Amino acid sequence: MAPPFDWWVKEKYRGTPVIVKMENPNWSISELSSPEDDEFAEARKGGKGKNAKQITWVLLLKAHRAAGCLTYLASATARLSSAVRRRIAAGRMDSDSGENPTLRHRFYTCIKIFLWLSILLLAFEIAAYLKGWHVSPPNLHGFKFPSSFGVRSLFGSIYASWLSFRAKYIAPLLQFLANACVVLFLVQSADRLILCVGCFWIRFKRIKPVARAIAEDLEAGKYFPMVLIQMPMCNEKEVYQQSIAAVCNLDWPKSNLLIQVLDDSDDPTTQALIRDEVKKWEQSGVQIIYRHRISRDGYKAGNLKSAMNCNYVKNYEFVAIFDADFQPTPDFLKLTVPHFKGNDELALVQARWSFINKDENLLTRLQNINLCFHFEVEQQVNGVFINFFGFNGTSGVWRIKALEDSGGWLERTTVEDMDIAVRAHLKGWKFIFLNDVECQCELPESYEAYRKQQHRWHSGPMQLFRLCLPDIIRSNIAFWKKANLIFLFFLLRKLILPFYSFTLFCIILPMTMFVPEAELPAWVVCYIPATMSFLNILPSPRSFPFIVPYLLFENTMSVTKFNAMISGLFKLGSAYEWVVTKKSGRSSEGDLLSLSELKHQRGGSAPELNSITKELAILPKKELKKKHNRIYRKELTLAFLLLTAAARSLLSAQGLHFYFLLFQGISFLLVGLDLIGEQIE
């Protein structure tokens, strides 16, 4: 007979047992478990006039509350089911998302094989469990079937052969893979812990880059070098107005500042809007130029390279880069450019990002956790102790001489920012990260936009690693700097992290439920991931309530990151895609009004800022578009794989593994149905 689920069903009583006696000796209620209700508390005291009618009313009240809870759960489930049905009916499959078809098909096929295998094994194990043959992992050794087992039952013979085969051949291989991934997991966790310790030390010692004492020079106008501003953009009509306005209001002498609006848009309407906006600011006295390329060759790198070839660039010493949705504060240049004075080895000053829409939905909240850790911990620690980090592609100021010395912008990867940073580091240039200088921008609000962004961010580094590895080995930098570039910057943080995250938690862990001889200890499944999530969330303490969704979502995103890493490493077609991240233009009306007030205080007049504000206020009503969602097949397939493994874990009573697999499967299900973030227009 199959053992009962004793670990699952446990009776728990609240309160203490009491005996209530009533006036009629023929009636009594004994052994009542009491909730914390005032009426029932009075009844427990045995006061005068407390009879069965009052007890009945208390019980009816509790029954009413319970019914209300059940009704709420039922209605919530019905609403969720209705939303799922609508999304499935109206959703678009991810086959038209632009991802490389060959890679998508192969990757999806592998995951489907694991799913069907898990379903088959689950059915097999349930049949054995119902016959009473199921054994939990601690009891596998020394287990013997009945003497007549192999004679009377063909199924029993097959099950015995399966147990022997998986113990001899499958379990050792699976355990080896699990141990290898655990080692990688521990190494990566140690690296993250060291970064956090470094960040704590920086805060404790109050270490931060300090510019030379040039306040007097600034006031006297002796240090206002020639600065070029570049704003690359492509079909981003939602954000161009406020970004151009923010850059044109930078507090810097107009004679020493030139703004290039580098438009790669292929939409004639967007081109006309941006061109008109540039003309408005040009008429107000700002030195601003509109440049449009007919072809998007090289994407952003090609755009920047083309702009740097202009003859007038030789008159400028520094170049600041701002993407289309970035809005620097007026004092941005005064906080960054002074760090270059007297520091001829300095190539880059990078500011951190802040986010206008970080509280817009759950997806943006989870992104904010990741990026806060990236800037405050990774970038700051690497900047202070190594003088090197990956350029973030925007909100940074470069010394033009350093760009030219490093070979300029190259179109060989989709991470041109990381490419130029690595080449400058190999040439001996130094970087500074300013954690207290922020530049506002916008986070992707839909899962589709975020997914495409992450695909580019994780395939590009692998392309770059293949291309620059020989240059790193042949370079003249110190050995420890080479080791940092190869093992920490590329392998550990760009390759190993998505590899073990996907392999360990999405493939190996579910498979250990069907091959219980191979085990993953509880500290690997729960305690270490929880600790790492806690460390990740420290730079954004207000996000602490989202620590569990963050842990689950990061494992869910490992599918996209692993896929991108493989495509970049092996030069597959999707590695060279560049899809512009969709913006929604979340800048508030107050941003433009503050710019208008600033212009007024400085004695100028911003061109038609009031009209811009009115246009932004009515834009959502005028350009309301139909929205849709996508159905992501890989995420859905992995959801069913994890939920199947969760059902299998019930048979062996592995409580902790069950909870992890259940909630992780639900996380994949929600993402697969595009129930996180906003829908796409």
Side-chain angles (χ1 to χ4, degrees):
M1 182 177 178
F5 298 100
D6 295 333
W7 67 277
W8 181 259
V9 183
K10 294 183 180 180
E11 295 183 351
K12 294 183 179 180
Y13 294 96
R14 298 175 57 189
T16 56
V18 298
I19 299 176
V20 181
K21 296 182 180 180
M22 283 162 281
E23 297 177 358
N24 188 346
N26 295 327
W27 294 88
S28 66
I29 299 180
S30 61
E31 298 294 324
L32 285 175
S33 278
S34 170
E36 298 174 359
D37 292 291
D38 293 339
E39 300 92 341
F40 202 30
E42 292 178 5
R44 281 176 22 183
K45 295 179 181 179
K48 185 176 180 181
K50 306 300 185 287
N51 51 30
K53 183 180 292 187
Q54 291 176 315
I55 302 296
T56 303
W57 277 111
V58 172
L59 295 177
L60 287 174
L61 178 62
K62 293 308 296 178
H64 175 72
R65 290 180 180 176
C69 291
L70 292 175
T71 304
Y72 173 77
L73 290 176
S75 61
T77 304
R79 288 196 299 270
L80 179 61
S81 301
S82 177
V84 170
R85 285 196 300 271
R86 288 196 305 270
R87 292 237 167 169
I88 293 177
R92 303 180 184 180
M93 300 302 292
D94 56 357
S95 57
D96 59 342
S97 61
E99 189 180 350
N100 180 262
T102 304
L103 178 64
R104 183 181 62 247
H105 176 71
R106 292 175 181 174
F107 194 37
Y108 179 53
T109 301
C110 292
I111 297 176
K112 281 199 299 184
I113 290 173
F114 280 108
L115 172 62
W116 287 112
L117 181 62
S118 66
I119 293 175
L120 177 63
L121 292 177
L122 178 62
F124 202 56
E125 294 290 342
I126 290 176
Y129 183 88
L130 295 176
K131 288 180 175 292
W133 301 336
H134 175 74
V135 287
S136 57
N139 299 325
L140 284 173
H141 302 288
F143 176 79
K144 295 181 179 180
F145 289 98
S147 57
S148 59
F149 182 72
V151 178
R152 297 185 178 181
S153 172
L154 176 63
F155 177 75
S157 177
I158 296 174
Y159 187 66
S161 300
W162 160 243
L163 288 181
S164 176
F165 178 78
R166 81 184 188 190
K168 290 181 180 179
Y169 302 105
I170 300 180
L173 177 61
L174 188 61
Q175 189 67 60
F176 173 78
L177 293 175
N179 293 339
C181 287
V182 168
V183 171
L184 297 177
F185 182 27
L186 292 177
V187 172
Q188 198 273 334
S189 300
D191 172 62
R192 186 146 299 194
L193 180 61
I194 292 172
L195 287 174
C196 290
V197 172
C199 183
F200 172 77
W201 184 256
I202 290 172
R203 283 200 172 192
F204 179 72
K205 290 292 185 177
R206 297 182 180 179
I207 302 173
K208 74 175 197 176
V210 178
R212 305 282 179 169
I214 59 171
E216 296 180 359
D217 291 347
L218 283 174
E219 292 177 1
K222 296 180 181 179
Y223 189 71
F224 286 108
M226 302 292 285
V227 177
L228 177 68
I229 305 289
Q230 293 183 333
M231 300 184 65
M233 56 182 64
C234 179
N235 295 327
E236 293 172 290
K237 63 181 179 181
E238 297 87 0
V239 293
Y240 75 91
Q241 283 180 311
Q242 55 265 37
S243 297
I244 292 177
V247 170
C248 289
N249 278 280
L250 286 171
D251 189 7
W252 201 258
K254 298 305 178 185
S255 59
N256 294 14
L257 187 69
L258 175 65
I259 301 170
Q260 289 180 319
V261 178
L262 312 177
D263 185 22
D264 267 4
S265 303
D266 54 12
D267 176 26
T269 303
T270 304
Q271 295 175 25
L273 290 172
I274 298 175
R275 189 182 294 108
D276 291 343
E277 186 70 17
V278 169
K279 287 181 179 178
K280 292 177 185 177
W281 286 100
E282 188 178 9
Q283 292 170 1
S284 70
V286 177
Q287 292 193 76
I288 184 169
I289 297 174
Y290 175 82
R291 285 177 53 87
H292 178 263
R293 294 197 307 161
I294 299 176
S295 173
R296 280 190 72 203
D297 291 342
Y299 302 113
K300 181 179 175 181
N303 199 358
L304 294 173
K305 182 178 180 180
S306 173
M308 292 297 293
N309 289 331
C310 297
N311 291 329
Y312 52 79
V313 172
K314 63 184 179 182
N315 299 323
Y316 293 85
E317 187 177 356
F318 304 103
V319 56
I321 303 172
F322 299 101
D323 283 352
D325 60 318
F326 280 75
Q327 301 162 43
T329 56
D331 60 350
F332 182 88
L333 293 179
K334 286 188 174 181
L335 295 174
T336 54
V337 174
H339 288 271
F340 289 97
K341 186 177 183 182
N343 193 353
D344 295 335
E345 296 180 344
L346 183 61
L348 167 67
V349 176
Q350 172 75 61
R352 70 172 295 166
W353 302 355
S354 60
F355 310 105
I356 298 172
N357 59 336
K358 63 182 179 181
D359 297 324
E360 188 64 29
N361 55 44
L362 178 60
L363 179 61
T364 58
R365 291 176 185 271
L366 299 180
Q367 292 178 67
N368 180 59
I369 295 173
N370 243 347
L371 290 171
C372 283
F373 182 87
H374 168 70
F375 285 108
E376 189 157 344
V377 179
E378 292 180 339
Q379 298 290 75
Q380 185 173 208
V381 171
N382 289 328
V384 169
F385 294 106
I386 305 178
N387 291 121
F388 166 74
F389 46 82
F391 175 45
N392 293 117
T394 179
S395 64
V397 182
W398 276 91
R399 188 189 297 272
I400 294 180
K401 180 182 177 182
L403 285 176
E404 295 172 348
D405 181 56
S406 305
W409 299 104
L410 299 180
E411 305 100 325
R412 57 181 182 171
T413 71
T414 57
V415 284
E416 77 296 326
D417 47 6
M418 186 181 295
D419 187 0
I420 189 64
V422 170
R423 286 185 281 120
H425 183 55
L426 296 180
K427 289 288 186 177
W429 292 96
K430 295 182 179 180
F431 303 165
I432 284 179
F433 177 76
L434 301 179
N435 190 56
D436 54 350
V437 179
E438 297 183 357
C439 188
Q440 279 195 334
C441 63
E442 182 180 313
L443 291 167
E445 296 182 10
S446 68
Y447 178 69
E448 182 182 4
Y450 180 60
R451 187 170 179 259
K452 291 178 178 178
Q453 180 197 71
Q454 292 299 303
H455 186 279
R456 176 165 54 86
W457 285 6
H458 286 81
S459 65
M462 290 298 97
Q463 304 168 35
L464 181 60
F465 179 64
R466 287 187 299 99
L467 295 170
C468 71
L469 181 59
D471 295 333
I472 296 174
I473 296 174
R474 292 193 300 261
S475 66
N476 295 324
I477 62 175
F479 175 78
W480 68 271
K481 290 185 177 181
K482 294 181 181 180
N484 172 69
L485 268 177
I486 296 173
F487 295 106
L488 293 181
F489 186 76
F490 280 112
L491 291 181
L492 187 60
R493 297 167 188 167
K494 303 297 188 297
L495 187 146
I496 290 177
L497 177 58
F499 172 77
Y500 87 75
S501 183
F502 171 74
T503 308
L504 185 62
F505 295 111
C506 300
I507 299 297
I508 293 179
L509 177 58
M511 288 297 101
T512 58
M513 297 297 101
F514 302 100
V515 186
E517 294 87 350
E519 296 182 327
L520 279 178
W523 58 268
V524 174
V525 177
C526 179
Y527 304 127
I528 297 296
T531 303
M532 291 301 103
S533 297
F534 177 75
L535 293 178
N536 275 22
I537 216 165
L538 285 179
S540 52
R542 293 184 179 181
S543 302
F544 187 79
F546 303 95
I547 186 170
V548 174
Y550 171 74
L551 171 61
L552 298 174
F553 183 70
E554 279 302 291
N555 289 335
T556 305
M557 282 303 301
S558 67
V559 184
T560 297
K561 296 176 181 179
F562 179 83
N563 191 21
M565 182 265 293
I566 293 296
S567 68
L569 193 61
F570 296 102
K571 298 195 297 185
L572 300 175
S574 60
Y576 294 92
E577 287 180 339
W578 183 290
V579 181
V580 178
T581 305
K582 180 67 177 175
K583 313 295 192 308
S584 59
R586 289 290 181 184
S587 296
S588 64
E589 187 175 313
D591 294 330
L592 290 175
L593 290 177
S594 62
L595 289 173
S596 177
E597 293 173 1
L598 178 65
K599 248 327 198 185
H600 180 71
Q601 292 171 2
R602 293 168 56 189
S605 59
E608 302 181 20
L609 278 172
N610 292 331
S611 63
I612 294 175
T613 304
K614 293 177 181 178
E615 290 176 10
L616 287 177
I618 63 175
L619 185 61
K621 298 179 182 178
K622 288 174 60 178
E623 299 189 3
L624 187 62
K625 297 181 180 179
K626 185 177 180 181
K627 296 184 178 182
H628 67 272
N629 66 288
R630 292 193 184 275
I631 305 297
Y632 300 99
R633 295 181 295 176
K634 290 192 291 288
E635 284 80 355
L636 282 180
T637 307
L638 279 169
F640 293 125
L641 171 63
L642 291 166
L643 293 175
T644 304
R648 171 61 181 83
S649 70
L650 284 174
L651 302 181
S652 53
Q654 299 188 48
L656 187 60
H657 294 68
F658 166 77
Y659 288 119
F660 182 88
L661 290 167
L662 175 65
F663 290 117
Q664 190 64 70
I666 293 174
S667 175
F668 270 102
L669 186 64
L670 295 176
V671 171
L673 295 174
D674 201 8
L675 291 172
I676 181 172
E678 300 293 332
Q679 290 181 318
I680 289 292
E681 290 182 354

